[in-house]
Amino acid sequence: ARERWFAEYPLGKLEHQLAWGPSGRIGKWVASHPAIVKIGDTLFVHGGISVETAAHPIDAVNAAVRAALLSGDSEGPSILTDPLGPLWYRGNVERDPPGGDATSAGAGRPSIDAELAQVLAAYGAKRLVVAHTPDLNGIEATAGGRLIRIDSGISAYYGGPRSYLEILDGKAIAWHETEQGGWISEALPSPQ
């Protein structure tokens, strides 16, 4: 019985579920924040924004994420686990991730550039900032500055460089920690 219990509930699983639950410390905190934020002409999201998500107003997407978090229902399909949803979508960065689902990541989808253009137009933005897909080279801007990847793999698991993004007066600046402990900055291209 003990082996079956630990196979189904490894150490920390129950504590993780409680912390992320609707009344848990992390769950309440996350539910109190939006999944997609637009500041000026820049969109910020954890995973990415698919054309399917962009068909809905930001407030509606955020309300759906909040409701799903607060429901505590982890069974069945949900915006929280949807591969095309704002928490998991990687299609703004790559189309065929290792071990990925071709139906959600690549097959039959618009190109990355076409989808990015549609998403930005739908929300009246010039730039999309995403995390969730680590790049151990640090913060990177692509698509003429219209897409910025900020997940530089700073966790101990990935071992990437510590970094942060600063946007001042519409100009994006990537900051990276050097091996000597200092910080260097790089101006990123401004979207047209």
Side-chain angles (χ1 to χ4, degrees):
R2 181 183 177 140
E3 285 179 25
R4 283 189 312 205
W5 171 264
F6 282 114
E8 190 170 339
Y9 299 101
L11 289 176
K13 181 176 181 177
L14 293 175
E15 294 82 358
H16 180 268
Q17 289 173 335
L18 289 171
W20 277 91
S23 59
R25 184 175 56 92
I26 299 171
K28 286 193 291 191
W29 182 85
V30 170
S32 73
H33 292 80
I36 301 174
V37 175
K38 182 180 177 192
I39 301 173
D41 58 7
T42 302
L43 292 166
F44 296 86
V45 66
H46 172 72
I49 303 176
S50 65
V51 291
E52 291 81 1
T53 296
H56 307 283
I58 291 173
D59 289 344
V61 175
N62 289 335
V65 170
R66 185 175 299 108
L69 283 166
L70 294 176
S71 77
D73 181 13
S74 60
E75 299 298 319
S78 163
I79 192 169
L80 302 178
T81 58
D82 184 352
L84 297 175
L87 304 181
W88 289 101
Y89 190 57
R90 294 176 189 240
N92 301 122
V93 174
E94 58 190 18
R95 280 293 190 248
D96 194 21
D101 177 356
T103 60
S104 64
R109 301 207 52 79
S111 70
I112 290 174
D113 284 339
E115 182 168 50
L116 180 60
Q118 291 174 345
V119 166
L120 293 174
Y123 291 132
K126 291 184 179 178
R127 175 190 299 135
L128 175 62
V129 177
V130 300
H132 189 62
T133 305
D135 182 345
L136 301 185
N137 295 316
I139 293 172
E140 185 177 357
T142 58
R146 295 179 302 138
L147 178 70
I148 299 177
R149 296 173 61 180
I150 62 169
D151 186 342
S152 58
I154 65 173
S155 73
Y157 177 81
Y158 289 107
R162 291 194 325 160
S163 59
Y164 67 92
L165 176 68
E166 180 177 43
I167 300 177
L168 295 171
D169 298 324
K171 294 181 173 77
I173 303 161
W175 288 88
H176 304 278
E177 185 177 32
T178 66
E179 289 182 11
Q180 295 77 26
W183 288 85
I184 58 171
S185 66
E186 173 190 358
L188 301 175
S190 294
Q192 303 301 322

